[in-house]
Amino acid sequence: MVYITRTIIRGLMMKESAFSKIKDNLQCFNRPIYETVIVTLTEMIKSGELPPGTKFPPDKKLAIELGISHITLAKALNELRRRNILDRRRASGTTVPEHQILPEASKSRKKIAVVFDFASEETFQQQLFLQLFHGLNKLNCSLCFFSADDDPDKQMSILEEILNDFSISGCLVWSILSPEQAARIIRLRPRCYPLIFMDKHYEGFDHDAVTYPNFACGAAIATSLNRRKITSCCYLEKDGQEFVPSDIDRREGFLSMWKPENKFVRLTLPSQAGTLQNLPKNTALVCSDYLTALQLKNILENSGISNRKNVFVIESPTDDHSLIPGFNAYKFSPTIGEETIKILSSRLNGKECCTVSHSGKWSVLGAKSTNKGRKKNEPKTTTFVPEVRNKAHGLHLD
């Protein structure tokens, strides 16, 4: 008769639960079986799920339980023994060594990848990066930074490598991917893996995203022009930006409030810059982003026009508005990093459903004269000050 004590039963139940986690990871991670077994067992030993002294079942029996080849399993276990993470003796079989090899779980920090579109000397002083850095530190996470050098294909390659790196527990990406590239990355994402897109939401795919209120901001500009009784508008975008999700949202938001009987022209810069000269002087110019506004400023200056009225631009928090004097700006507030950290925290705490958050405030910056008390020979100056800040869901009406 075989006698099984309560201690042995608890041990068997623990091992069954632990090894079922390996099986779950084999199903949800798009990585080689060999690597999945190694990394999952390492993490479980490190976290204490497999405490010192835990005895493994025979290799063939465990392989059957996991539904994999016992040769593949043996290869993974041998590698763990080579690293002294597991111990194997003829009498007792494979066990977790009694001596502490890995750091305690409470002291370990999860690595989170942060992938930007590009990086410059100012990147690491920008508010977005600092929000992410300090937020990750509060979550006891380490930041691993990557730059795509403004190349969608390079960003795609970086993300594929990150998703195949078991040492990285999540990814925050300022996406410049096309919808097709994003679809591939979303399909590669392991189940419950935190992958959060910033400033992009790809319709038709279930994924975490934090975006600026692009649609609402575009609608607010159109509403403002309607109230000013402006009936002609030229909407400007950079060449190649026609299909960028955030730019599409801004344009569609504008058109949702622009009166259909009014004139609307859409141009891309710099390829269609010549068409600007044929527009009536009372036509409002709306730039979809800051870089388009810089191009417009250069075009106007080269044409001898430095005081063009009714020019509007949508700006990100890091854009330098002082470089486009005379333009009216709808400038987003720098809260996107904070919202991203909130979603990451909920994911790391086990939340499974995806979240789409709209980081929804902006300030309106307009030119105001500051020439009161100006001496006779002093040049006229203009400064830019916040006029209105939207309070709730976002439409600014002036």
Side-chain angles (χ1 to χ4, degrees):
M1 180 178 294
V2 179
Y3 295 92
I4 303 179
T5 66
R6 292 182 180 179
T7 302
I8 296 175
I9 292 175
R10 283 198 299 270
L12 290 173
M13 291 176 64
M14 181 277 299
K15 285 188 285 185
E16 181 181 356
S17 174
F19 296 135
S20 66
K21 181 177 180 178
I22 302 174
K23 190 173 183 178
D24 290 342
N25 284 354
L26 288 169
Q27 294 174 349
C28 70
F29 285 111
N30 298 304
R31 300 182 177 98
I33 294 173
Y34 166 76
E35 292 182 8
T36 303
V37 173
I38 289 176
V39 177
T40 305
L41 283 175
T42 301
E43 290 179 348
M44 287 194 292
I45 295 171
K46 182 177 180 179
S47 67
E49 292 177 74
L50 292 176
T54 300
K55 184 177 180 180
F56 280 52
D59 291 3
K60 289 186 178 181
K61 183 176 180 180
L62 181 56
I64 293 173
E65 180 183 338
L66 299 177
I68 64 177
S69 163
H70 76 275
I71 297 176
T72 301
L73 176 64
K75 180 181 177 183
L77 296 180
N78 285 335
E79 176 60 24
L80 290 170
R81 295 176 193 124
R82 187 188 67 81
R83 301 179 188 180
N84 294 321
I85 295 174
L86 291 178
D87 188 23
R88 183 181 181 90
R89 297 183 182 180
R90 182 169 297 181
S92 57
T94 300
T95 60
V96 179
E98 292 289 347
H99 57 283
Q100 187 69 41
I101 298 173
L102 298 170
E104 296 178 7
S106 60
K107 297 181 181 179
S108 64
R109 295 170 66 91
K110 292 184 176 180
K111 291 198 298 184
I112 303 296
V114 174
V115 184
F116 274 16
D117 48 351
F118 69 95
S120 64
E121 292 180 359
E122 294 80 22
T123 296
F124 306 108
Q125 280 76 46
Q126 290 177 359
Q127 191 161 6
L128 172 62
F129 180 85
L130 294 175
Q131 285 176 343
L132 296 177
F133 176 80
H134 293 304
L136 290 174
N137 192 49
K138 289 181 180 179
L139 295 178
N140 195 34
C141 295
S142 298
L143 185 153
C144 302
F145 185 80
F146 301 85
S147 170
D149 298 326
D150 220 12
D151 183 347
D153 292 332
K154 182 175 180 179
Q155 188 173 77
M156 175 83 170
S157 178
I158 290 172
L159 291 173
E160 288 176 333
E161 291 180 10
I162 289 170
L163 292 177
N164 282 291
D165 186 343
F166 265 99
S167 68
I168 297 179
S169 301
C171 181
L172 317 176
V173 53
W174 191 273
S175 178
I176 52 175
L177 301 178
S178 69
E180 294 75 20
Q181 290 173 320
R184 172 171 169 77
I185 292 298
I186 292 169
R187 284 194 295 267
L188 287 175
R189 176 181 66 90
R191 186 182 51 169
C192 301
Y193 183 91
L195 173 63
I196 305 172
F197 291 91
M198 292 180 283
D199 195 36
K200 293 288 185 297
H201 178 251
Y202 296 94
E203 295 293 336
F205 301 100
D206 193 20
H207 68 89
D208 293 313
V210 182
T211 69
Y212 290 121
N214 293 301
F215 186 95
C217 194
I221 295 176
T223 302
S224 177
L225 297 184
N226 290 334
R227 285 179 172 269
R228 298 182 189 195
K229 302 187 183 304
I230 295 174
T231 59
S232 177
C233 170
C234 178
Y235 193 89
L236 300 168
E237 296 171 314
K238 281 195 311 177
D239 290 334
Q241 294 291 101
E242 299 93 330
F243 304 106
V244 174
S246 57
D247 286 272
I248 292 174
D249 287 344
R250 294 173 187 184
R251 185 195 323 137
E252 291 182 349
F254 183 91
L255 290 173
S256 72
M257 299 301 293
W258 184 245
K259 293 180 179 180
E261 64 270 21
N262 291 341
K263 185 177 180 180
F264 177 83
V265 178
R266 182 165 70 92
L267 301 177
T268 61
L269 299 180
S271 64
Q272 296 179 307
T275 308
L276 289 172
Q277 299 177 0
N278 302 324
L279 296 175
K281 291 184 178 180
N282 62 347
T283 300
L285 303 178
V286 179
C287 302
S288 65
D289 60 20
Y290 178 72
L291 294 179
T292 303
L294 288 177
Q295 289 182 336
L296 175 64
K297 172 178 173 287
N298 293 331
I299 292 169
L300 293 176
E301 289 179 347
N302 292 335
S303 302
I305 303 173
S306 58
N307 58 347
R308 187 68 158 76
K309 296 182 178 180
N310 293 327
V311 181
F312 299 82
V313 56
I314 301 176
E315 293 184 8
S316 298
T318 56
D319 295 334
D320 186 358
H321 185 69
S322 66
L323 297 181
I324 47 175
F327 291 12
N328 299 283
Y330 283 59
K331 191 178 189 72
F332 291 126
S333 301
T335 58
I336 198 167
E338 296 172 355
E339 294 295 323
T340 301
I341 293 297
K342 287 180 183 178
I343 296 178
L344 175 66
S345 177
S346 67
R347 278 292 194 178
L348 293 176
N349 287 322
K351 183 178 179 180
E352 295 189 5
C353 61
C354 292
T355 302
V356 179
S357 173
H358 299 287
S359 183
K361 290 184 179 180
W362 63 77
S363 297
V364 180
L365 307 180
K368 285 192 173 182
S369 174
T370 56
N371 297 300
K372 187 176 181 180
R374 178 176 61 89
K375 295 180 181 180
K376 184 175 181 180
N377 295 325
E378 285 182 348
K380 292 184 178 181
T381 60
T382 302
T383 60
F384 297 86
V385 296
E387 292 177 345
V388 180
R389 180 181 295 274
N390 66 319
K391 295 294 184 182
H393 50 72
L395 290 181
H396 162 70
L397 307 177
D398 61 1

